[in-house]
Amino acid sequence: MMIPPRILFGLSRDGFFVQQGTAVNKGGTPVVALILSGVISFVLIIGGSFQQLFSLASFMSIVVMGLSFSSHIKLRKSEPDLPRPYLAWGYPWTTILVLIMTLGLFFGFALGDPYNLILVIVWEYFRILLS
């Protein structure tokens, strides 16, 4: 429950989400982001079954994983002179292989559960509109 507010806080801080998302209390908790993610979680819990929530979380995890591997490749190409505290074994082939497997997994989920695919697309559309 504490991960989504931190993500929303980071997005707000970097200008990719509403500015109010950067508000924190004295303890450092991102209050607006916590309330927003709590409301969204509540709506999802009330509106769906456990299987539906699990499917939605799976879709979102696959999307995030694919984007992280894609960003790894892009960063290595756009910033080749950045210091690398660790090396990625087999780069770029292992990263490309995992990205291809992630895309295959996403398409498998999409074909097996088109309803939740539509929910993810609508969710991302509204997220982009809010930022």
Side-chain angles (χ1 to χ4, degrees), residues 58-71:
S58 298
F59 268 120
M60 297 302 279
S61 297
I62 295 297
V63 169
V64 168
M65 187 168 51
L67 290 174
S68 67
F69 286 115
S70 299
S71 63

Side-chain angles (χ1 to χ4, degrees), residues 74-122:
K74 176 158 182 6
L75 180 66
R76 291 281 173 124
K77 285 192 182 281
S78 64
E79 301 288 342
D81 297 328
L82 282 178
R84 309 284 185 223
Y86 61 92
L87 296 176
W89 178 83
Y91 179 82
W93 305 112
T94 52
T95 307
I96 292 170
L97 178 66
V98 173
L99 182 60
I100 290 170
M101 292 184 338
T102 302
L103 287 171
L105 187 59
F106 177 79
F107 286 121
F109 274 138
L111 292 173
D113 193 0
Y115 174 75
N116 282 313
L117 174 67
I118 292 169
L119 284 178
V120 168
I121 291 170
V122 169

Side-chain angles (χ1 to χ4, degrees), residues 44-45 47-54:
L44 288 172
I45 289 169
S49 66
F50 178 76
Q51 181 180 359
Q52 191 176 28
L53 291 173
F54 186 76

